[in-house]
Amino acid sequence: GDSVTQMEGPVTLSEEAFLTINCTYTATGYPSLFWYVQYPGEGLQLLLKATKADDKGSNKGFEATYRKETTSFHLEKGSVQVSDSAVYFCALPRDGDDKIIFGKGTRLHILP
Amino acid sequence: GAGVSQSPRYKVAKRGQDVALRCDPISGHVSLFWYQQALGQGPEFLTYFQNEAQLDKSGLPSDRFFAERPEGSVSTLKIQRTQQEDSAVYLCASSPTRGYGYTFGSGTRLTVV
């Protein structure tokens, strides 16, 4: 079945460091791909998405490119801030319906 | 309302107690979803409504879990005879139509002691 695998955390970086959080997927067809973010004490927020191969989603300095050949959707940011500390989830909609399948999440800590 | 509202934010229940968790979706949103998020895990699908119709309840872990949305707006997730393994954050999400994308609420953290 459809699934998402993302790198385990926690990931700890210093402010202004470069960030990569890896995500690979298994799916029937070519679904949209999402990154959600969960800040402490808050619900999930859609961070960015891509709807087809080679699309790049971007928001708040974060980017992810839909790579069909490697079935990947890695999240990157060139210079992280303390305020980026959160849990990040890679996700995709299950084929045929609206249910979203989430990865286990990657906790990110940014040190000042 | 401006967002998806869930109440209570926190609930502590004694094992065996019944609980009811409420979700107020964004006004006019047709689709409503419930997810369960265990500690350190990603959210797992529980059930889905389109208006008042419960179209999919395949994710409900046992017959102790019951959800309803009688008038197609507010939804309640009820858990009977709570067990420790029910401890999790319960997330509600709504969407204006199929395929549009979700807006999540902040969740209800249930702790069963």
Side-chain angles (χ1 to χ4, degrees):
Chain A
D2 296 356
S3 67
V4 174
T5 303
Q6 61 182 106
M7 64 188 290
E8 291 190 19
V11 173
T12 302
L13 296 171
S14 297
E15 203 166 23
E16 299 183 3
F18 183 85
L19 168 71
T20 300
I21 300 178
N22 290 339
C23 171
T24 57
Y25 66 91
T26 302
T28 304
Y30 302 104
S32 297
L33 299 173
F34 306 110
W35 276 100
Y36 280 82
V37 59
Q38 190 171 34
Y39 297 104
E42 298 185 16
L44 289 161
Q45 299 175 27
L46 179 64
L47 178 61
L48 54 84
K49 67 178 181 181
T51 58
K52 61 184 187 296
D54 299 325
D55 262 5
K56 178 184 286 188
S58 61
N59 186 23
K60 298 182 180 180
F62 290 89
E63 293 183 339
T65 302
Y66 191 157
R67 301 286 188 198
K68 185 176 67 173
E69 62 278 9
T70 55
T71 62
S72 65
F73 193 55
H74 304 323
L75 183 68
E76 297 181 335
K77 186 173 185 180
S79 177
V80 292
Q81 305 300 313
V82 172
S83 57
D84 295 327
S85 298
V87 182
Y88 292 81
F89 294 92
C90 188
L92 57 82
R94 195 172 69 174
D95 186 36
D97 59 37
D98 274 343
K99 292 189 270 295
I100 291 186
I101 298 169
F102 290 89
K104 292 189 175 182
T106 303
R107 184 174 297 276
L108 176 65
H109 294 291
I110 305 300
L111 304 175
Chain B
V4 177
S5 177
Q6 292 188 246
S7 60
R9 285 297 304 274
Y10 304 93
K11 176 69 178 177
V12 178
K14 291 185 177 178
R15 193 172 61 175
Q17 185 179 352
D18 296 350
V19 298
L21 312 180
R22 178 186 169 105
C23 173
D24 281 90
I26 293 173
S27 179
H29 277 198
V30 169
S31 299
L32 185 145
F33 303 80
W34 284 98
Y35 281 79
Q36 179 191 57
Q37 186 177 12
L39 187 65
Q41 302 294 314
E44 299 276 351
F45 170 80
L46 292 177
T47 187
Y48 160 57
F49 290 86
Q50 187 168 327
N51 295 307
E52 69 277 5
Q54 189 174 19
L55 298 186
D56 189 335
K57 55 182 181 179
S58 62
L60 296 177
S62 78
D63 59 7
R64 296 185 294 103
F65 286 70
F66 172 76
E68 61 183 6
R69 193 185 186 198
E71 298 179 358
S73 55
V74 171
S75 178
T76 303
L77 176 66
K78 298 180 179 178
I79 309 173
Q80 297 177 323
R81 304 181 304 282
T82 52
Q83 303 296 315
Q84 284 192 318
E85 61 263 27
D86 300 335
S87 297
V89 175
Y90 291 86
L91 295 166
C92 177
S94 70
S95 175
T97 187
R98 184 172 179 175
Y100 191 82
Y102 298 3
T103 300
F104 279 88
S106 296
T108 293
R109 181 178 297 278
L110 173 65
T111 303
V112 181
V113 297

